Amino acid sequence: MIPVQGYTGARVGVLGLGRSGLSAARALKEGGAVPVCWDDNDAARAKAEAEGFETAKLTGATLKDLALLITSPGIPHLYPTPNPVIKEALQMGVPVDNDISLFFRSFATSEWDNLDVTPRVVAVTGSNGKSTTSALIHHVLEHTGRATQLAGNIGRGVLDIDPAIDGEVVVLELSSYQTDLARALTPDIAVFTNLSPDHLDRHHGMGGYFAAKRRLFSEGGPERAIIGVDEDEGLYLAGQMAEGPQDDRVIRVSVERKLTDFGWTVFAKKGFLSEYRKGRQIGSIDLRAIKGLPGSHNHQNACCAYAVCRTLGLAPRVIEAGFASYPGLPHRSQIVAEAGGVTYVNDSKATNVDSAVKALGAFKKIRWICGGLEKEGGVSALSDAASEVLKAYVIGREASGFAMQLAGVETEVCTSMEVAVARAMEDAGEGETVLLAPAAASFDQYDSFEKRGDHFADLVKAGLG
């Protein structure tokens, strides 16, 4: 645990008692603060009370008495409308913050003066690929024997990790919900993978969404910024961070074009990763045979992870060996079975159109299971990416409407995962891939994308006997 510094004896409100909220309460208490907790859910409050925490409705005099209000990332603080507790706190002048900020304020301690190598923090954000990028960095570091912890939006909560040891690297995956509110953001290395439409209601459009991601760089002032420049927003961000094209504090990343005219770049073309510095190639990796990193979207993740590891001083061949043993993350282009010449892939994390497009581009001869709770903007753009789709098997409560948007794609309305998997397995032949890449949220039929992916995997394994 990372004890929170700076609030000894102070009353600090904690709004929302899920994973991050309870973690923050524990870390505040460990640091000498007095947490005052609230959640509208009776069971969540009961759990906090069972741990000895004070619970009280955060309003009026109780709220005014707080030195700080910590809120969970899922609670809106501005758009689409502010949570009433947060709005009242702001009206009273009570600072509002989150656990990510508490981590950055509290991670470094006076004990670091006795360490030979200062610990470092790598923070990864973006629309797609941030989980894989974070996990891949962590895996490569583990492969080399370097002390490392993985936390944030993946792995453990940021305040649940252990105090740093000599030379340790903490890798954080941070969502826009987490970066948007944090008052302190000070990573040593910051990564921006890409940007595509997502969470637009929460951020009041693409501009607000990008602004939330950009705060990791503009507020944090990282020593090195690793930025995907295949979208206009990344291109702009790299331009804002660099003093000129040869400024190697910014590492530009691409999977769409060669980048040879800058101080430091990493790009991938046709499955080959290349590292250039000041116009000269100094490293390369053939990514095509790495089963845990299929497709150009994973090649972008590999480029970002490679750039981080090079910044941390690892040699290209060492990084390549770490990549080769990377098993991939569950629900992200995860191969769950191979039988009869058919490959079964679980990409349930493809919850938006852009991530599904990337999944469709990673495989050939696809039997595609898709559908679910549509996000803003519809799914018609998927048709242009479906050249390798032999047939789509559509699930979800609105499966018929989803299927109608897939112009030019043979579809079968299955509604349930059971029917979709059974029909795809019946139809699939040698050399084909049965791919779950929903391009939609799971909440019409499942509690989470993880449960959706697990259901798919269980049905495949049961069908194969």
Side-chain angles (χ1 to χ4, degrees):
M1 179 183 293
I2 306 297
V4 173
Q5 301 179 42
Y7 292 95
T8 302
R11 293 173 66 81
V12 177
V14 179
L15 178 63
L17 297 172
R19 186 187 75 158
S20 68
L22 271 179
S23 172
R26 295 176 188 125
L28 284 160
K29 184 177 181 180
E30 185 71 17
V34 180
V36 183
C37 304
W38 183 257
D39 193 300
D40 290 338
N41 183 281
D42 293 342
R45 292 200 307 277
K47 185 176 180 180
E49 289 165 357
E51 290 193 33
F53 289 115
E54 176 186 346
T55 61
K57 202 155 192 176
L58 299 176
T59 187
T62 301
L63 188 58
K64 191 173 185 178
D65 191 38
L66 300 180
L68 180 71
L69 175 65
I70 297 298
T71 180
S72 295
I75 300 175
H77 57 272
L78 187 55
Y79 301 116
T81 56
N83 177 276
V85 173
I86 294 175
K87 186 169 183 176
E88 188 176 355
L90 294 172
Q91 288 172 334
M92 291 182 174
V94 177
V96 179
D97 211 340
N98 65 13
D99 62 326
I100 303 302
S101 180
L102 294 180
F103 166 82
F104 279 113
R105 291 181 181 184
S106 306
F107 185 50
T109 68
S110 59
E111 294 176 4
W112 285 22
D113 294 340
N114 301 318
L115 302 180
D116 292 328
V117 180
T118 302
R120 306 188 80 183
V121 177
V122 178
V124 181
T125 195
S127 295
N128 299 307
K130 56 185 179 293
S131 294
T132 296
T133 299
S134 302
L136 184 56
I137 296 164
H138 178 65
H139 174 81
V140 173
L141 291 170
E142 282 192 320
H143 179 82
T144 66
R146 187 92 172 255
T148 179
Q149 297 184 73
L150 180 64
N153 214 36
I154 186 174
R156 302 160 75 184
V158 291
L159 294 170
D160 289 333
I161 68 172
D162 301 322
I165 61 174
D166 207 332
E168 187 164 36
V169 178
V170 172
V171 184
L172 303 181
E173 178 199 339
L174 299 181
S175 71
S176 59
Y177 289 11
Q178 293 169 313
T179 59
D180 194 21
L181 185 62
R183 295 163 65 93
L185 286 168
T186 54
D188 299 289
I189 303 168
V191 181
F192 176 87
T193 58
N194 53 56
L195 198 77
S196 61
D198 209 357
H199 311 304
L200 300 188
D201 59 336
R202 175 66 180 265
H203 297 295
H204 206 56
M206 280 294 286
Y209 180 44
F210 174 53
K213 301 284 190 186
R214 184 177 178 270
R215 290 190 76 249
L216 184 63
F217 299 82
S218 59
E219 300 291 328
E223 295 172 12
R224 178 148 287 127
I226 295 159
I227 301 173
V229 295
D230 288 337
E231 293 88 29
D232 289 342
E233 291 86 356
L235 198 62
Y236 171 80
L237 180 59
Q240 288 280 295
M241 296 299 294
E243 293 298 327
Q246 298 306 311
D247 185 353
D248 62 7
R249 294 173 302 173
V250 175
I251 303 177
R252 292 167 170 84
V253 168
S254 177
V255 290
E256 293 184 357
R257 58 196 175 96
K258 291 183 177 182
L259 300 172
T260 59
D261 299 326
F262 297 91
W264 196 349
T265 62
V266 181
F267 59 88
K269 294 290 288 183
K270 298 182 179 179
F272 288 88
L273 179 153
S274 297
E275 176 189 4
Y276 272 70
R277 293 200 199 185
K278 301 190 185 303
R280 294 178 56 246
Q281 183 173 359
I282 62 170
S284 65
I285 296 176
D286 183 354
L287 300 171
R288 295 173 300 173
I290 300 176
K291 294 191 85 172
L293 296 168
S296 64
H297 62 305
N298 275 313
H299 295 172
Q300 182 184 56
N301 300 334
C303 287
C304 291
Y306 177 94
V308 170
C309 292
R310 291 290 281 144
T311 296
L312 294 170
L314 301 185
R317 296 286 76 84
V318 172
I319 300 171
E320 183 175 14
F323 282 5
S325 62
Y326 177 66
L329 281 177
H331 315 295
R332 298 162 176 85
S333 296
Q334 175 194 16
I335 298 174
V336 297
E338 294 178 287
V342 179
T343 302
Y344 298 87
V345 179
N346 166 22
D347 203 330
S348 184
K349 184 61 171 66
T351 58
N352 59 38
V353 169
D354 187 67
S355 54
V357 166
K358 290 180 169 65
L360 291 172
F363 303 97
K364 305 291 184 184
K365 297 181 179 178
I366 299 168
R367 302 281 174 183
W368 177 30
I369 299 175
C370 58
L373 187 63
E374 281 185 43
K375 294 189 175 180
E376 186 176 338
V379 298
S380 57
L382 289 165
S383 298
D384 295 335
S387 60
E388 287 292 333
V389 173
L390 303 173
K391 187 176 179 180
Y393 306 80
V394 187
I395 63 173
R397 294 179 185 171
E398 304 297 329
S400 296
F402 194 103
M404 289 177 63
Q405 297 181 65
L406 302 178
V409 179
E410 182 183 352
T411 61
E412 180 175 338
V413 175
C414 299
T415 305
S416 72
M417 185 72 77
E418 289 87 350
V419 173
V421 170
R423 293 291 299 122
M425 292 183 77
E426 288 172 12
D427 293 346
E430 187 171 350
E432 296 179 3
T433 297
V434 175
L435 170 67
L436 171 65
S442 60
F443 302 121
D444 60 334
Q445 293 181 311
Y446 299 92
D447 290 339
S448 66
F449 73 82
E450 292 95 340
K451 290 188 176 180
R452 177 173 60 188
D454 288 340
H455 192 203
F456 167 78
D458 290 344
L459 290 169
V460 168
K461 291 170 184 175
L464 295 173

